[in-house]
Each structure stands twice: as structure tokens, then as C-alpha cells.
Amino acid sequence: MTVLVVRVNTNHKFLLINIFTVHNELNSIFFTRKVFMLKQTLRLMLLPAAAAVLVACGGGGGNTASTVLSGTAATGAPIANAKVYIVDSAGRVPTGQDESAGIALVTTDANGQYALTNTMLSGLSGPFMVRVVGQMLTESGDMGPAVFHAVTAGPASGAAATVNVTPLTEAHAALTLGAQPSLAYGSSSAMQAVTSTRLAQANTTLVGALSSVADFSANPNFVSDPLDATPGAAKTGNARKHDATLDQLSVSVSSGKIILADRNQDDSNYANGPRVEIVANTRTVATPSGAISAKVPAIESEKANAFAQRFTTKLADGCDVTSEPTSLAIGLCDGVTNPSSNIFHANFKDKGMSSWRWIRGWLSDAFETTDLTGVAVSVVSTTLGSFVADDGQRVHRVLLKFTKDSDVVMRQILVMDDGTNVKAYGNQKNFFFYMAMRFNHKADASGSYPYYPKYEQGVSMMLRPWFGAQNDVIFGAHITGPGLPTSRQANGVVVNALTGGTDVNRNRLTAGVEVFDRRSFGCSAYAIDPSVYVERNTARWPTNGVPDANGGHRWRPDSTTCNPLFDLLRYDVQRDNAYVLPKKGDLYSVTLYLDAAKFAPNTSVQPPAGALAAVSKKNSDGVTKSVLPYTFSYALPADAFDLPNSNFNPATFGFPGVSDATRTNLAQLEVGQNLDVTWSRNKSTLADGAVFGSFYAGRYMSSYDQWGTYQSTASPLFNYDEVNGVVAQSENYANFTLYNHGGTATGLNGSYREEDVYTASNCGKVAAQKYRGGSVVTIPLIRKGTSPTFTYTSTTCSAKDADLVTAQTSDANARIVYSNQRARKQYVSDRGRLVATSDKAQVLRFSDLISREKNNDLNFCSAYKGFVQSRQVYVQLSDVNGRQLMEMREVWWDFPNKQPYPGATASDRPNQVDDPLYLTNTSVGKTGYNGERGFVHAVQAKQGTQCIPKVW
């Protein structure tokens, strides 16, 4: 896009016009959810011409506006194309400025520079507070809101004032105001604290805490000293040294504190390592883990630029990452990934990623294409800190810019200097894991459990499947620590007819929670094992369809989830005495379940040091694997949200405000259609001063291919498929001949005798055969009557003998028979994309979403149609800490006049009658279909860019 920047030379009264092409697309992966690995896209929108003009001239040259306030907005990298707002001592703003509508008089240029004129500030009086609202690259690699402030006494008479806006001026403003700047902005009473003395004291205090890196002046002033954030420029001269100081500090906000962490360490240490903490309300500064370290000599600029040039050259030769190669020397991006190209070191490993996986995750997903041919690489900064990696090698954090056509992606990468070349090296860690705080508002919910709580709040466990550069290694993980369960249902203990170690808590944990890889079930990330909630059920699932009076039913035992969140509210943490919310810096123990089949003696890959002997673990879907437990510690990077109380108001709290029109679009969505998503709020400031901006928009879809499982109305003799009106017996999973459990071919015409099946079948036995992916299970029934008018009544393995005795009191012919029934198959698709901080709308394009799916996958296409459908669309706001505010709109499907389980008198979805957006039955292909629960719905598979009927 084109940005017009106009400057005035007041001495010669002429206009200098610079025209930039600035179509930045800063993309990144956010693992979810982590994570699965998620991406962030910043698309800079075309500015109105009036918003780009920094100065104005009167007619005929008689009146000239002059710059009175100017400066640079930066975090080390420039905060480009950001809106600049200003308020005076009385809370007044310039004519034409309207932050609520997103209207600013000026924006920053590509280097973060801005200027305000005397005309713009006419009628205003100092002191002033400047606010910059833009976007920044966070430590996770995602784009987050860059909302920073600076306070100034204003320009002296006849002179212009320099007012930079950075994380350091944010800290300076907090010390000056005695309050979080985001909360004090616009408050005339807060501005009364701004005096020349207070400004000087705040600067002196901050300089003292940062003396080791405040090397850009004999008397540093973070607000008014020259600052040059031009990307790629050498770090020489005081203005560039000022920028290098910003580069070395990672900013976050926690519990009313502004925290500046030392980047001369791995980012996993930021929460508890050397850092400066500014406490606004007491105007104090602390260094709880020691002072910030001095700047480490950066990688030589010439070598860094040569590294970027080699990267560019090899990408120009061709790079396609559609399929992961079997080795580094094989594949369509070998020229980039092969160590002989001197781009990636032979030992490269970053958070478990190989060089190919790094390119695929951090570049391909960001550009939304697997063809990276022609991407250009350049160096933005080489001074983002340095530390010693896990293997003892010193690495340097550099910021690179990747450009493809008009799209731009910014990425940090850890490099080393081997004496000849700079090469990508990584942090040498074997895995990617992080925990993110999330607060979710379900706007359409009734507020009742287990299906309709209005709020979800807790900790998302973000994990990726790779380990030590191998993919698909991590089966799941066990996490313990503050805020997580301190006890679990013990092995063999029965609560509400569910047995610990079998029905719940299958791996016999004593504390904590588990997450498991559910990608094969259509999820985009690892998901929490929901049996942890089932353990908190204080009563059996009620037979009248209404949760018990005390709201104790937290989760229905047979339900699964794609959610990586441990929900503090659903678990009802306040039930426990002395419960405290998780806080930044809390330590957790994480045990990864590494697939033993990926290591020796099964392969040539040796297990990592510290891995324990193989044990068996069962996931939430009942799949058991042999795994190697591998444990490490993790420090929480941010505070949990406060739990909502009875006075909580979601309308004013700061959720995105997803529109009713979006929900309507979701309900009407068909295969091949795009989904338009809109929301009302792209920025929220919470009571602790944390600022959130737009981050992600996605949609979740789920359906089953049959109504229910083990339903008494699903007769064992029912024919489930027809072809042109003719029963296809070969596909009937109730056919005892095909799915025999112990019978012998001694019946009429050599067929299996049903009596043999009834008699010999084991109760609960799962057949080796599967029908359309759904397991065929043998279950008991009580049969009464005589042929051809038999009736069948459901029973259980434990109750069948007693039920038979009861039945024979009225029918001497009653007997126990066994029915082969199919467990219904669920299809789930959870997909979306990250958005710019300033966005209030996004289009989830069908073509984009289906392009990410594997051919022949059933989940994405089959989630659109079927039984018991669930659809959700959600928008997330994020802050610099990676915390998320999410709002969800939902539509469900229920079949009319059917109960969700025996004895129920109400639907699972209590709003069905009054809500016009409830989904309708979408099953097809059965002549005269009238709601039989056992019917199997047709499904579709992904082929290329289309969904086609699955051929079984």
C-alpha cells in the first residue's frame, strides 16, 4: 500500500513529500492452543490521505504549521503505521481526533516517526500524554497490540519537543503518574501529577535500574533523547544505541507492574530471570532476580547480511514445503535446508523443530502457501540479545524480514557465528510447550452445566507433536502446579458409577491434568482430558434432563473435546479451600509422553537424557501407547484472569462483541462457502492496565454420522443402507453373518446361526471389523415376545441377568440376546486465521481452509452435515503477555421430539424452541427417513480443493 508522508521545512517553506510502499504482513505462529502452532497476520490498510498528512500549509503560503512535538515509536523495531493520539492536562484532545472511532490526526511512518504541529495542538495546554496504538512482534512470535504512552511537559516556548513512545517511556510514565498509563490516559486528575520535578525523578529512577544498558548518553533521557529505529541500520551513534537498548528488553504487564526482562537469556526464563519491575501505584522499581546484564557484542553486520543473502539466493532457486522430506538432503526445499548451503547449521534445532519444520511453521503457514520460491530475506536487527544454548553454544537473537511479493513476515531466529559464516542454530531445545491464559464468553449460552456455561476461564496447554526434530512424537503430557487439581479420583474408587483408573483418570494420576494429541479426530491442537471434570460431578447425570440443583454436574462422561484449556470455572476451583489463581512466574512440572516407537531399540534414535523407562498411557479416546516419560519445569509467563463474580458484566468487560450477523452466517454455512466474521471491539483495557487487541478469528464444527450409540430404538435387524431403494446387506453392520462374534456356519444354507451369536458373544466385546470407521460393539438386550413381533429392551452387562429374571415373570420366553451395534463416528474441524490488531472483520475463505487439509481426510468436509451438529465461531483478543479474551457465538442441532438419553424429558440444548438459528437435520440418502437413530449419514472426503462423497 502507499503511505504519503508530508514534512515541512519551516526555514525555506517548502513541502518534502516521501512516498513509501508499506504493505506489511507480519505473520506468525501461535502454538494451540499453541497448539497447535498458530499464525498472526498484520495487513496494513490504506490510510485516508488526511490521516497521513503530518503538517499542513495555509493558503497562499501566508500561514505555516510548525512541528511542536515529534519523536519515534519503537520497541527496538519501529511501531510502523501506528495511530498517534494526544491528550492535554485537562483531558482535551485535538479537533478531529476521535480514538473511539479509530480516528487519529497522524500515524507513524515506516521507521516509527511521527510529528504533531502547533495547529493540531491549538487550544490545548501541557503537560501532555501521547499514546501510540499499533502492532508489535511479541516474544511468542505472534503479533500483539503495541499500546504505549509517554508524558511530557510540552514544548518550551519557541522550541519543538522530542517525545519518544516506547516500553521505556511507558515505564517512565507509570513512575511519573503513579498509575498504569493505559488507565490514566485522559484523566485530568492523573495529569496533575506531571511536574518537571516528577518527570526528572522518574527518569532518574529508571536510568538507575537500567544503567547497564542505558549507554546512549551521559545523562540518558528515555523520552527526549534521539532515537533511530530504522530497520537494518548499523547500531552506531547514540540514537541507534538508544534503539539497541530497547532491543535488549522484553516488555510485559502483570498485576499492575510493567516488567522489562533481559533478552540475554532464553525466552523461557523471562518470567523469573533478570528483569526490572516497575510498580506504578508505589512509584517503585525492583530487580528481583538481579540487574539487567550489559549488552553483548552483536553478530557482525556484514556476516548477518551475507547470511540473509544466502537465504535469499537459495529461496530464489526454489523451495516448496508441501511434503516433509525423509532427510535433510531430500525434498523440494533442500537448497535451503541442506547444511552445505550454510544457512542452517547441521545441528539446527529450535523448540524441537528441524530446519524444514521451522520453514514450514514460521514461513509457509504465515504466507499461507507452501511455495516459498522467490522470498527475499533481509536483516532488521542483530541486537535482540545473546545467551548460551542448551548445548553450550552461544547464540544471538536476530530479527529477519521475509518478503514475498507485497507480503512481509517478520521472524526472530537464533544464529551462531562459526568463525566464517553466520548460521541458524536454534535454542537446541527438543520441544515446544507453553501455557496461555484465556477467558471465553459464550454469548448464546444459558449459563447452565454441562453444555451451556457462559464462561470458560483458565490455562491453555499449548503443545506441538515434534520432539528433537522428529515429528509426531508427543502422545500427550501431564502437567501439575499452582491452580491445577491437587488430587484425582484414585484407582478403583467408584464415584457416580464411574471407576477411577478405568472410566476416569485412566492413567491414575495423583494430581494435575493431561492433554492428548487429537489431530486425527479433527482437532487443531492437543486437548485436555475432560474426565478431570467428570470427577467433580456431585451427582449422576440427571434423568429429567436438568442439571442438579447445585450445578455440580461439570461434564457429561461420554463427551470429548478439542479444547486445550483447563477450565477453572468448570472444575469449580472455588470449591477447594485456600485456592489461589495462577500467577506469572509460578513453576509447573510437565511430563511429556514420548512415543517409545520413535526411539531405540525401535529406531536408531536414542532417547533423550532424563527420559524414563517405557510405560503405557491411555488417552481420552481410549487409545493406549507405550511412552517414555520426560519431565521438565516451566515458569508461567502471565497471570490468570480474575474469576467472574455475580456483578460481572460481559458487555463492559472487554470481550470482542461478535455480531449477530456472524452467528447467522455460521448457521447458514455450506460446503464451499466463505464465512464472514465481524466484531465490535478491537481494543480493550482491563482494570490491571493490560491492553488487548484483535488476534484470531476461527470456527469450530462438529457432527456425528448417526444419531446415537447403543439406542434401544436401533433394532439389531434394521437395514442401514439402501442403494437405489434396494437394501445393501453387505454394508449392514447389524448383519450377524458379516459381523459374527463366535457363531459357526451351521445354520440354514450354511449361514451363521443367530443363536450362536447371541449365546457366544462376550458382553461389551468390540469387533475387529469396523463399519465406516465406527467400531462395531456387541451389547446385551432383553428380548421378549415371539417371532415376528419380538421387542428388545436395553440392558447393561452388569444388569442383564437381573433384568432377565424380571422380564421372565411376565414372559417365559424372555431371553438375553446380543446385538452388534456401531459406535457413532464424530467428525470435527477447528480452523481459523490470525488477524491484525486493528481488525474488526475477517473472511474465513473456504479455499484457504481446505488447502491446509490432507487429501482423503474426512473431518473437514464431513463436519458440515450430519447428526447432533455443533458450530461455533470465535474471535480472540490478545495482550503482550499472550493472554486471550475470546468471545464465541454458537448454533446447535437437535432432532425434534427426541431425548438425548433414556429417561430425559428435555433437550440437551435448552434454547432450541425459541432460537430460530438452531440447525436442522441434514442427513441425506435414506428413502422415507423418519428419524431412526441408528441411520448412518453419508460423509465426504477432501480431494484437492473440493469435498467429494466418500467411497467405502
Side-chain angles (χ1 to χ4, degrees), residues 478-481 587-591 631-634:
H478 172 210
I479 306 100
T480 61
L587 291 179
Y588 293 78
S589 176
V590 182
T591 299
T631 301
F632 61 93
S633 295
Y634 177 81

Side-chain angles (χ1 to χ4, degrees), residues 216-220:
F216 50 86
S217 172
N219 297 293

Side-chain angles (χ1 to χ4, degrees), residues 283-583:
R283 294 189 174 96
T284 57
V285 173
T287 54
S289 297
I292 301 292
S293 61
K295 295 176 181 176
V296 175
I299 287 285
E300 295 179 24
S301 296
E302 294 80 4
K303 287 185 177 180
N305 290 331
F307 163 74
Q309 184 56 54
R310 292 193 299 275
F311 216 148
T312 299
T313 300
K314 291 301 182 179
L315 285 170
D317 292 340
C319 175
D320 189 288
V321 288
T322 301
S323 300
E324 186 165 8
T326 56
S327 72
L328 292 178
I330 301 175
L332 300 179
C333 198
D334 174 54
V336 177
T337 60
N338 196 310
S340 64
S341 297
N342 290 322
I343 300 169
F344 287 91
H345 193 280
N347 296 333
F348 176 86
K349 182 171 57 179
D350 191 70
K351 298 178 180 176
M353 290 180 283
S354 65
S355 54
W356 185 93
R357 177 60 57 181
W358 191 94
I359 291 173
R360 174 59 187 259
W362 290 108
L363 299 183
S364 173
D365 287 354
F367 283 118
E368 297 185 342
T369 178
T370 58
D371 185 3
L372 299 174
T373 303
V375 170
V377 186
S378 60
V379 177
V380 177
S381 177
T382 60
T383 56
L384 276 74
S386 175
F387 62 95
V388 176
D390 282 7
D391 67 348
Q393 172 65 50
R394 176 162 288 280
V395 292
H396 299 260
R397 191 180 286 109
V398 301
L399 182 61
L400 300 178
K401 180 171 74 171
F402 297 86
T403 306
K404 182 176 176 62
D405 300 322
S406 59
D407 297 336
V408 174
V409 172
M410 308 289 278
R411 286 285 175 261
Q412 292 181 11
I413 193 168
L414 293 169
V415 303
M416 55 84 72
D417 185 346
D418 67 3
T420 303
N421 293 306
V422 166
K423 301 177 183 178
Y425 197 74
N427 65 358
Q428 296 300 299
K429 294 188 181 298
N430 285 316
F431 54 86
F432 185 94
F433 174 86
Y434 78 97
M435 296 166 64
M437 301 299 155
R438 198 178 82 202
F439 190 178
N440 180 26
H441 174 224
K442 294 184 175 181
D444 303 303
S446 64
S448 61
Y449 287 95
Y451 280 109
Y452 269 105
K454 274 191 172 295
Y455 306 110
E456 293 176 329
Q457 185 174 323
V459 189
S460 290
M461 315 295 178
M462 310 307 295
L463 182 64
R464 296 300 291 170
W466 51 72
F467 186 94
Q470 286 194 95
N471 200 17
D472 298 323
V473 175
I474 301 177
F475 181 57
H478 172 210
I479 306 100
T480 61
L484 302 183
T486 56
S487 63
R488 296 291 303 270
Q489 188 169 326
N491 182 45
V493 173
V494 179
V495 178
N496 301 327
L498 299 174
T499 304
T502 303
D503 303 309
V504 296
N505 192 19
R506 299 172 184 86
N507 294 318
R508 304 177 183 181
L509 309 179
T510 58
V513 299
E514 288 175 308
V515 292
F516 290 103
D517 184 1
R518 299 201 72 237
R519 290 174 298 151
S520 63
F521 296 90
C523 301
S524 60
Y526 286 68
I528 202 82
D529 175 9
S531 76
V532 67
Y533 306 127
V534 178
E535 295 176 29
R536 301 287 271 190
N537 291 348
T538 58
R540 296 191 63 169
W541 180 255
T543 57
N544 64 354
V546 179
D548 55 304
N550 66 5
H553 197 92
R554 319 313 296 175
W555 192 270
R556 190 171 172 183
D558 61 351
S559 295
T560 58
T561 181
C562 279
N563 200 338
L565 179 83
F566 173 65
D567 186 354
L568 303 174
L569 296 173
R570 185 178 286 275
Y571 189 73
D572 192 15
V573 296
Q574 293 168 304
R575 187 188 304 181
D576 300 324
N577 293 329
Y579 176 79
V580 293
L581 288 169
K583 295 293 183 183

Side-chain angles (χ1 to χ4, degrees), residues 7-10 13-15 54-58 61-68 116-121:
R7 303 183 189 281
V8 168
N9 183 312
T10 57
K13 296 185 179 178
F14 66 88
L15 294 178
L54 301 188
V55 296
C57 293
N63 296 309
T64 302
S66 60
T67 296
V68 291
L116 293 164
T117 69
N118 56 354
T119 303
M120 295 174 182
L121 302 186

Side-chain angles (χ1 to χ4, degrees), residues 937-948:
H937 168 68
V939 297
Q940 293 184 304
K942 188 258 187 178
Q943 281 293 331
T945 59
Q946 295 180 318
C947 293
I948 62 173

